[in-house]
Amino acid sequence: IPNPIYMDLPMKNFIDNGDTEKIILNVGRLSPQKAQDILIKAFAKTDNNGWKLIIAGEGEDRSKLEGLINELGIQHKIELAGRIKNISDMYSRAKIFAFSSQFEGFPNALIEAMYFGLPCISTDCPTGPSELISNGENGFLVPMNDVDSMADKLGILMNDMDKCKLFGERAQKTVEIFKVKNVIKQWKRIIDECLNTTTQ
C-alpha cells in the first residue's frame, strides 16, 4: 500500500496563465543516486534561452555539481536552491519536472510533481518511475545516464506547451490513487480481509 499524498498540497491545473515560469524543477538530495549531473549536462545541451533549472535539495554532491555548472558556463541558468521549506511553491511555479535518478524506491517527489499537474521526464531507473509514467502518454521515460535522450525530451516539452498541458492533465489522473481517501480504502480492505469480515 503506497504512502498517501500530503493532504495540504494544493492541486493545480497546468494552464499557462502567467502563474508559472520557465522553470525546470528537480527535487532530491544532491547525491550520486539522484544523478543531477546528468540533468545539468542535458539542460546545457538544450536551447534554454529564457529557461532556468532549479534543483531543490542538499547533499554531498553540492561541490561537484557547482564545479560542473561553472565548467559549462551556465551559472546564471541553474540554481542549487538547497532545502526548501514550502516545496509546494516550487511545484506551482515550475513548468516541467525532471528526474534523473539511478534508482528509486517510492519516488515521492515524482508523485508530487504529477499531482501538481507538471509534465514529467524521468530516467527509467529500477522501480518507481515506470510504474507511474507510460512513456509518451503521461510523461517521458529516458534511459539512465543518457544525456542526449534527456536533452531531447526536455527540448520537446520546452517547445510544446500543448504537450505539457496534456501530460500534466494525464499525470494528475494517474496519481489520484495516492489521494488520502483512496489509500484509506486500500487499508480498510486489507484490515477487513485480515479480520475476515465483509465490507458493508
Side-chain angles (χ1 to χ4, degrees), residues 33 103-107 126-129 131:
Q33 175 196 346
F103 60 91
E104 284 292 333
F106 188 78
T127 72
E131 298 171 40

Side-chain angles (χ1 to χ4, degrees), residues 12-15 29 33 45 47 55 68 84-85 94 103 119-120 127 137 148 151 154 157 171 174 188 192 196:
K12 73 163 188 175
N13 292 316
F14 188 94
I15 302 174
R29 180 172 174 78
Q33 175 196 346
K45 281 178 166 279
D47 180 11
I55 300 175
L68 176 61
I84 296 178
K85 185 175 182 181
F103 60 91
C120 296
T127 72
E137 296 295 324
D148 289 338
L154 283 173
L157 292 184
T174 299
K188 188 175 187 304
D192 285 343
N196 196 27

Side-chain angles (χ1 to χ4, degrees), residues 75-92:
Q75 302 93 320
H76 59 297
K77 291 179 177 288
I78 298 182
E79 178 184 350
L80 301 181
R83 294 184 181 89
I84 296 178
K85 185 175 182 181
N86 191 2
I87 194 63
S88 63
D89 288 345
M90 290 306 307
Y91 288 124
S92 295

Side-chain angles (χ1 to χ4, degrees), residues 4-186:
I5 290 282
Y6 181 49
M7 289 180 66
D8 290 342
L9 285 178
M11 180 179 274
K12 73 163 188 175
N13 292 316
F14 188 94
I15 302 174
D16 192 11
N17 58 5
D19 293 337
T20 58
E21 304 170 43
K22 287 187 173 181
I23 291 172
I24 298 167
L25 178 65
N26 172 273
V27 176
R29 180 172 174 78
L30 307 185
S31 68
Q33 175 196 346
K34 301 299 183 180
Q36 286 101 343
D37 59 318
I38 299 298
L39 177 56
I40 290 169
K41 291 174 184 176
F43 177 73
K45 281 178 166 279
T46 66
D47 180 11
N48 50 49
N49 186 38
W51 284 84
K52 187 172 186 178
L53 171 62
I54 296 181
I55 300 175
E58 196 53 79
E60 64 270 27
D61 272 6
R62 171 174 278 277
S63 295
K64 171 187 171 183
L65 297 178
E66 288 174 339
L68 176 61
I69 292 166
N70 290 335
E71 178 185 330
L72 294 170
I74 49 176
Q75 302 93 320
H76 59 297
K77 291 179 177 288
I78 298 182
E79 178 184 350
L80 301 181
R83 294 184 181 89
I84 296 178
K85 185 175 182 181
N86 191 2
I87 194 63
S88 63
D89 288 345
M90 290 306 307
Y91 288 124
S92 295
R93 288 173 56 198
K95 282 195 188 298
I96 297 169
F97 184 85
F99 213 46
S100 48
S101 295
Q102 298 290 301
F103 60 91
E104 284 292 333
F106 188 78
N108 287 305
L110 178 58
I111 291 169
E112 289 172 356
M114 294 175 75
Y115 175 84
F116 270 82
L118 284 173
C120 296
I121 304 167
S122 175
T123 47
D124 190 12
C125 63
T127 72
S130 63
E131 298 171 40
L132 299 165
I133 295 177
S134 297
N135 188 39
E137 296 295 324
N138 64 345
F140 284 131
L141 291 172
V142 300
M144 291 187 301
N145 301 313
D146 192 330
V147 172
D148 289 338
S149 289
M150 177 69 79
D152 177 60
K153 295 304 186 289
L154 283 173
I156 290 172
L157 292 184
M158 291 160 75
N159 291 287
D160 191 341
M161 289 300 108
D162 288 337
K163 186 175 287 292
C164 283
K165 185 175 186 295
L166 178 64
F167 278 7
E169 290 172 346
R170 290 176 175 175
Q172 284 186 319
K173 291 178 181 176
T174 299
V175 298
E176 282 185 355
I177 58 172
F178 300 110
K179 288 183 177 179
V180 171
K181 64 179 182 180
N182 294 327
V183 174
I184 287 174
K185 287 178 183 177
Q186 294 181 59

